[in-house]
Every structure is written in structure tokens, then in C-alpha cells.
Amino acid sequence: MEVCEMQKAETVLSILKQKSKQDESHRYDRIYRNLFNEDFFLRAYQKIHAKQGNMTPGTDGTTIDGFSRKQISQLIELLKWERYQPKPVRRTYIPKKNGKMRPLGIPAFADKLVQEVVRQILEAIYEPIFSDNSHGFRPNRSCHTALYQIKSTCRGTNWVIEGDITGCFDHIDHEILLKILLKKIDDGRFLELIWKFLKAGYLEFNQKYNSLSGTPQGGIISPILANIYLHEFDKFMEGISAEYTKGKQRRPYREYQILQYKRNRAKKKGNQEQADEYLRQMQNIPALDPMDKNYQRVKYVRYADDFVVCIIGSKATANEIKERIAGFMQKELHLELSREKTKITNLSDKRVRFLGYEITKSQENTKQVVDSIGRKKRSVNGTIQLVVPGDVIREKLKPFIKKGKPYQVGARVNLPVIEIISQYNAEIRGLYNYYCLATDVSTKISTFQYYHYFSMIKTIARKEKSSVKKVIQKYGIDVPRKNGTGTMRIVGIRYNTKEGPKTMTYFNDSLKKVSRPAGEISDQFGQVLKGGQLMKRLNSDVCELCGAEHCALEIHHVRKLKDIVKKYRKRGTPMPNWVWLMSYMKRKTLVLCHDCHVNLHNGTL
């Protein structure tokens, strides 16, 4: 693949992507030299600079603070001479929902930068050929798109295989992954770099451990490497789907046809009462034979290492497919399908849990509706419904309820009122935004909202040593009702900003169900390219503090600007110029010359 290293990164990635679209079997060579292009690293920096985790040091003790073009030049020089060696990640542990601890690796910032460049190149090559059934960590895809695919394509499902791969990311076989990469990439140096990341190991209690399998923990390239690995499974499942698909449509249900014949005869004889009775009986049974052995469908949806297989067919077919999946996983990918957690569920009898939602199937209904062209049809007929699990709401309510009544959150009592309202708003908005596809989102979130809202009021009341009634009187703000009739009073606060007075009330948006995911929803790492203004500031060649021009510039980073401002306000001491400037610009970054950056850290500015 001939690509000029001086081209803009965006142009190079576009060429790689276009080639993959045109020819899925094309193998790429000479892509390692794109790592000598400074623009790739600047683009990578723009993608990752806003992440708070970049202020957590890796095993080399460095963070994103002090980023400069000199750092890029040093990395490119090491890469040119193949002397670049990723450092082991620093292992730490974070709690899981089940109470256990999940290991997390923190890479050195320089390694994050190189990994982001590699990730962008891999994404350009593989994204055009990835399966439409794969939704995890991809552009314009999310949990919502995976759930919507199930809802829109799996109508009439009888059986569901709930897939669970035992420790998928920790057991990815490095040798197999390399063989898979070789199918598309014919560049030894580029593959060697990926191999180095896979084998970098981790540091725990000052002891280095080698990585025998799995993708780098906490690594930026881990999600796309996992998707490349599991793309083989996606292709296998596409073959399974094609193999098991039978029949254009189900055959007519004999009992239904008999009743239809009797109804027509009754109508011809003028016996409308008897004809209506036959119609009622017809509406209580399926029109097409649900047990038709000559009609079969297999649909598959994957999000990262979680997947479901929706089957219109028999349980025997579901069992057979499950065994074939287990065999493929073990033989081809050296992964193990959990026998205990991988279940086969009859969707008519039991709900299936997937990505935090419950999936169920509507039963046939006697109620009839008229479609857009005037035809009568049943209101629901085996359609897939997404619902909010009841235990999720109960678990979410635990901090805000005591003995069945709303209760204050003691940890928030010392916060400013505006911060209390803001935190409560973030919680309910996040809950609604995630479950907005659910059929019962309005009723379930309304239940949560009642207790949550009065918990907020009681928290403010405790803060101000007041009563609920007085808090509502003091902070109540009249807002329009959702149905458009008059106003209602809801607790909020008015405050002043540079743009003028503003009002914040407790969450009052409509809780209506959303029919399909928003187009921009994505959970892919760094999907939105940020930092354009930061690049302009860096390219200006001017220190933002002392005004020095045409000097080597470094970017000073802070984790949270508001925490630094609060620190000085709490002390009652004047803010230094650099804090005031960052606060004025509303930025967590400051472009400085080397001397100003050193003086800032020495406290001599």
C-alpha cells in the first residue's frame, strides 16, 4: 500500500478505508511507516487528551501533562529504528457490580499515544468489513443499536441462546490473533509492534508478570483487537444463519383455515352472528403454524463478548447450534463457552437479560388495529419487547429510600444546593437515556423519579435544617406541564453566569419511549474528534502565560479545573495567574513555554 508519509492522517485513513471497501481480500503492506507521520500523533492526542485517566501515571511515572511536539519526535525516532518498547501496564483493581474486583491496567501515556495511532489504522482497515451484527466499540454503534437490531429483526423468536464466553478478553490467543491479522496485513514491522503490546506484561506490587494471553488490560487497542478476533466468530454465525434458514414463510395453520372456511359459509348464509363468533375464535389462535418444521430463522447479535442467538425453530435446533458454537469457540479461537451461563430460553415462557434490558415476546392479541393502507391486523403478533428489569430500579433506589420512604443522602448534605440538584439530575437523566428504548420506560422511571425527587428535597432540607414544605416554598419554580396545560412547581435554583441569569430545576423531561437509537450514539473509544481548538493554540507558537514566541511549547494538564479553583477559594488566597487564566478560558489545558511550565510546577509563577 503506497502512502506518502507527509499526507494528512485523515487522508491516509480515508485511502485505507476505501481500499478495504473496494476489496475485502486486499492485504496491506508498508503501513508501519505511517507511524513516522507527526499528524497521526497530533490526531491521536486530540482523541484522548480529555480523558481524566491520562492524569494517572503509568509504570514510568509520567502522565499527559507536558505533552509536546518534542515528545512526538522522540517517539517517531524510536519507531523508525525499531527501538520502541512498550512499558508494562500498572495493574490496579476496580470493584464490579457483583462485589468482586476487576483488574485494570494503566499504560504509560506514550504507549497510549502510540496505541491510539495503531487503533486508528486498524479501524480504517477493518471497520468496512466488520459484520453488521457486531456493535461493541464501533463508530455509530452502541448497546442501543444492538438492542434495536434484536427488536426490529427477531420478531416471532421461539428460542434464544444467551451466549457467555468465559473470560474472553483475558484468554485471547496471541498466536491465533496474529494469524488473523496476517490475513489483512502484510507488514512485519506493524505486526511486530502489535506483538510487543500483547507481550508487554503488567506490574503488580513491583513485580513484573508476562502476558501469556489476552489483550492489553486498559489498552486503547484492546477493544479493536478483540473485535478483530471475534470477527471470525461473526463470520461463522453468518454461515450458521444462512445454513439454518428455511422456507419463505410459515404454512397456514389448519385450525385457523377451518374456522375461516366456516366463517365464510356463515356469511354467505346470512348468519352474521355465527360469522362473528368464528372470527373471535380465529383471533385467539395463530394464523400461521408456529410449529412449521419447514420454516426456520436464525438471527445473531453481538456486543463485545456478549451475544444472543434468536431462533425461530425447535429446541433441538437451538441445542444443535449451541453445541456447534461451543465447538467452534474451542477449536478455532481457543475460547470456552460457559456451560452454566450459556442458556437456551423459551421466549414465550421467560425473559432474556441482555445489555441491562430484559427481552420478551408479545403474545398474539385479539385486539385489532387498522394499518396505513386500511387493512385490519392484530395489534401485536410475536413482536420483541424491550423492558426495564424491576431489580435494576430497586437497586438504583437503595441509596434514596429507607423503610419504603424517600430518604436523604448524607454524603451530599455539605454540597452547595446547585451541586445537589446537578448530581440528582445526572443520575435520573443517565438512567432514562439508557432505558429510553424500553416499552415500560415511562412507568418504571416514573417510580424511580418519585422517590429520587423527594430524596433530593429531603437532602436539601437536612442541609438547611428545614422542612420539606419550606424547601419547596423556597426553591419551588413554576414550569410548564408536560401535557401543555398550565404550570407545575418543581424544586430548582436560579443562578447568575457571565451569559446572564439561568435556571436549573430537577429533571422534568418527558419520559416517553424512544422508537429507535439516536444516530450519533456511540461507545467507541474516542469516537468524537475533540481538541481542534487546542491544536490551534499549540500551532500558534505563543506561550499563553508569558507571551514568548517561536519557542518549544508544552501543554499543562489538570484533572479537574473546578477542584483547583475550589482549593484556592477554600484557602481564601488569591488564585495564581495560571489558574485564573485557565478558569477564564474554561479549559483544563494551558499551552506554555518550557520555563513557565517548570516554574508552574515549582510554585514560583
Side-chain angles (χ1 to χ4, degrees):
M1 178 71 186
E2 291 293 335
V3 179
C4 176
E5 67 178 69
M6 297 308 293
Q7 283 181 308
K8 287 287 185 182
E10 190 173 349
T11 304
V12 176
L13 295 172
S14 179
I15 293 170
L16 294 172
K17 189 173 182 179
Q18 194 61 36
K19 191 68 179 176
S20 193
K21 282 181 179 178
Q22 292 171 353
D23 182 6
E24 189 173 327
S25 62
H26 178 76
R27 293 186 74 208
Y28 294 82
D29 59 2
R30 304 186 70 187
I31 54 177
Y32 182 79
R33 63 179 185 167
N34 290 309
L35 293 158
F36 310 155
N37 187 341
E38 182 189 67
D39 192 55
F40 267 95
F41 288 89
L42 291 173
R43 181 184 171 89
Y45 173 73
Q46 288 180 72
K47 288 262 190 177
I48 67 176
H49 84 278
K51 298 282 183 180
Q52 289 186 19
N54 289 321
M55 291 300 294
T56 304
T59 51
D60 61 351
T62 62
T63 68
I64 193 173
D65 184 44
F67 170 81
S68 65
R69 279 197 164 90
K70 181 180 178 182
Q71 189 176 4
I72 292 176
S73 299
Q74 291 171 344
L75 279 172
I76 289 175
E77 196 65 20
L78 289 172
L79 288 161
K80 277 183 178 178
W81 295 99
E82 299 179 45
R83 294 173 183 165
Y84 171 77
Q85 183 61 48
K87 295 176 175 58
V89 299
R90 182 166 65 85
R91 175 172 277 192
T92 185
Y93 291 87
I94 57 174
K96 295 168 68 174
K97 288 183 180 179
N98 60 9
K100 296 181 180 179
M101 302 298 286
R102 182 193 305 277
L104 179 69
I106 302 173
F109 174 69
D111 294 339
K112 290 181 184 179
L113 207 58
V114 177
Q115 282 192 39
E116 174 57 25
V117 175
V118 172
R119 187 201 66 78
Q120 290 181 35
I121 293 171
L122 288 173
E123 181 182 276
I125 293 171
Y126 282 95
E127 184 58 34
I129 67 169
F130 277 156
S131 169
D132 287 338
N133 301 316
S134 166
H135 294 264
F137 308 106
R138 293 183 58 193
N140 298 319
R141 289 171 180 262
S142 64
C143 294
H144 281 185
T145 60
L147 291 159
Y148 179 74
Q149 183 178 346
I150 294 170
K151 180 178 174 62
S152 58
T153 65
C154 298
R155 178 174 177 168
T157 294
N158 305 100
W159 300 95
V160 177
I161 301 172
E162 304 174 57
D164 186 277
I165 305 170
T166 304
C168 176
F169 299 116
D170 293 332
H171 292 92
I172 287 176
D173 190 292
H174 293 168
E175 298 283 352
I176 294 175
L177 176 59
L178 195 64
K179 288 177 183 177
I180 293 170
L181 289 166
L182 275 166
K183 294 177 183 179
K184 291 289 291 178
I185 298 172
D186 186 18
D187 187 329
R189 291 192 297 173
F190 189 77
L191 294 175
E192 176 64 24
L193 178 61
I194 293 174
W195 186 259
K196 285 180 179 179
F197 279 118
L198 293 172
K199 295 297 185 183
Y202 61 93
L203 203 66
E204 186 174 23
F205 305 119
N206 294 322
Q207 177 71 39
K208 183 185 174 183
Y209 297 88
N210 295 324
S211 303
L212 302 177
S213 63
T215 53
Q217 293 175 355
I220 291 172
I221 59 169
S222 294
I224 194 163
L225 289 178
N227 271 338
I228 291 168
Y229 198 77
L230 291 175
H231 178 59
E232 301 299 304
F233 177 54
D234 296 339
K235 291 191 293 183
F236 170 76
M237 286 308 301
E238 286 171 1
I240 288 284
S241 179
E243 180 184 340
Y244 281 85
T245 294
K246 293 194 297 185
K248 291 185 178 181
Q249 68 174 36
R250 287 190 177 99
R251 68 188 176 199
Y253 194 43
R254 181 165 176 76
E255 289 184 33
Y256 186 91
Q257 285 185 308
I258 292 171
L259 287 170
Q260 191 174 44
Y261 172 75
K262 289 180 179 180
R263 178 173 179 257
N264 290 337
R265 285 192 62 184
K267 287 176 72 176
K268 285 180 181 180
K269 291 179 180 180
N271 191 347
Q272 189 59 44
E273 186 177 337
Q274 185 66 51
D276 290 344
E277 175 57 32
Y278 286 136
L279 177 61
R280 280 191 288 273
Q281 292 179 37
M282 289 166 61
Q283 290 172 341
N284 282 311
I285 62 174
L288 302 174
D289 187 357
M291 303 304 291
D292 184 0
K293 294 181 180 179
N294 295 316
Y295 181 83
Q296 232 173 221
R297 293 290 185 272
V298 175
K299 303 288 184 180
Y300 154 78
V301 175
R302 179 177 67 83
Y303 182 90
D305 60 337
D306 292 326
F307 67 90
V308 291
V309 184
C310 298
I311 299 164
I312 298 176
S314 65
K315 186 176 183 180
T317 299
N319 275 315
E320 187 177 312
I321 291 173
K322 178 187 171 184
E323 291 304 314
R324 290 185 65 177
I325 289 172
F328 176 85
M329 286 282 187
Q330 189 171 28
K331 183 180 178 182
E332 302 297 331
L333 299 179
H334 291 185
L335 295 175
E336 184 180 352
L337 201 65
S338 172
R339 298 283 176 171
E340 295 177 359
K341 295 181 180 179
T342 301
K343 308 170 189 174
I344 296 176
T345 303
N346 186 330
L347 204 57
S348 299
D349 299 333
K350 190 178 178 183
R351 295 176 175 182
V352 168
R353 186 71 69 96
F354 185 60
L355 300 179
Y357 277 70
E358 282 185 345
I359 301 168
T360 185
K361 182 175 70 169
S362 298
Q363 301 303 314
E364 299 200 10
N365 200 323
T366 59
K367 181 181 176 182
Q368 287 194 331
V369 295
V370 179
D371 66 14
S372 58
I373 60 174
R375 296 176 305 184
K376 287 185 177 180
K377 64 177 186 179
R378 303 181 191 200
S379 58
V380 289
N381 188 4
T383 56
I384 297 296
Q385 301 292 328
L386 304 174
V387 297
V388 183
D391 62 310
V392 167
I393 299 300
R394 289 191 293 273
E395 191 65 30
K396 292 286 184 183
L397 275 174
K398 280 184 179 179
F400 312 107
I401 195 169
K402 190 173 183 180
K403 295 181 180 179
K405 294 182 179 180
Y407 197 73
Q408 70 266 13
V409 178
R412 299 179 184 177
V413 168
N414 294 324
L415 297 174
V417 172
I418 190 170
E419 189 70 25
I420 292 172
I421 297 172
S422 178
Q423 285 196 17
Y424 275 88
N425 276 349
E427 286 162 349
I428 188 167
R429 184 173 287 110
L431 189 64
Y432 167 69
N433 285 344
Y434 189 75
Y435 286 105
C436 61
L437 295 180
T439 304
D440 60 347
V441 62
S442 179
T443 54
K444 289 286 179 64
I445 304 299
S446 291
T447 302
F448 175 86
Q449 188 178 34
Y450 170 79
Y451 292 99
H452 193 246
Y453 175 59
F454 281 100
S455 169
M456 181 192 75
I457 294 174
K458 287 189 173 184
T459 302
I460 297 172
R462 183 179 168 189
K463 173 184 176 60
E464 301 193 347
K465 298 178 181 177
S466 181
S467 66
V468 168
K469 184 177 179 181
K470 288 180 179 179
V471 168
I472 294 173
Q473 287 175 345
K474 181 178 179 180
Y475 292 103
I477 296 172
D478 291 329
V479 297
R481 290 186 180 276
K482 295 172 187 176
N483 59 12
T485 59
T487 61
M488 60 181 289
R489 177 152 285 213
I490 189 166
V491 168
I493 191 168
R494 293 184 175 92
Y495 58 100
N496 294 317
T497 68
K498 292 177 183 178
E499 292 79 25
K502 290 189 177 182
T503 301
M504 178 196 293
T505 66
Y506 179 77
F507 180 84
N508 191 41
D509 295 353
S510 172
L511 294 175
K512 64 182 181 181
K513 172 193 167 189
V514 174
S515 59
R516 61 188 305 149
E520 294 302 315
I521 289 180
S522 177
D523 52 18
Q524 181 220 17
F525 184 91
Q527 170 61 15
V528 179
L529 185 61
K530 300 178 180 178
Q533 287 295 323
L534 183 57
M535 287 300 100
K536 288 180 182 177
R537 290 160 59 199
L538 183 62
N539 291 334
S540 68
D541 276 343
V542 176
C543 174
E544 292 176 341
L545 207 57
C546 71
E549 298 181 356
H550 309 299
C551 54
L553 296 175
E554 301 172 359
I555 302 180
H556 176 64
H557 285 258
V558 297
R559 189 184 297 272
K560 287 185 180 179
L561 177 58
K562 66 178 182 180
D563 289 347
I564 295 176
V565 173
K566 280 182 182 177
K567 181 178 74 173
Y568 283 97
R569 285 178 179 168
K570 191 174 181 180
R571 288 178 182 173
T573 56
M575 290 190 296
N577 286 346
W578 66 273
V579 177
W580 181 89
L581 183 58
M582 292 179 84
S583 180
Y584 176 78
M585 294 192 301
K586 296 181 179 177
R587 294 287 184 270
K588 296 194 299 180
T589 55
L590 204 58
V591 179
L592 303 173
C593 64
H594 177 72
D595 290 343
C596 282
H597 198 204
V598 170
N599 291 334
L600 185 153
H601 280 285
N602 289 338
T604 56
L605 271 180

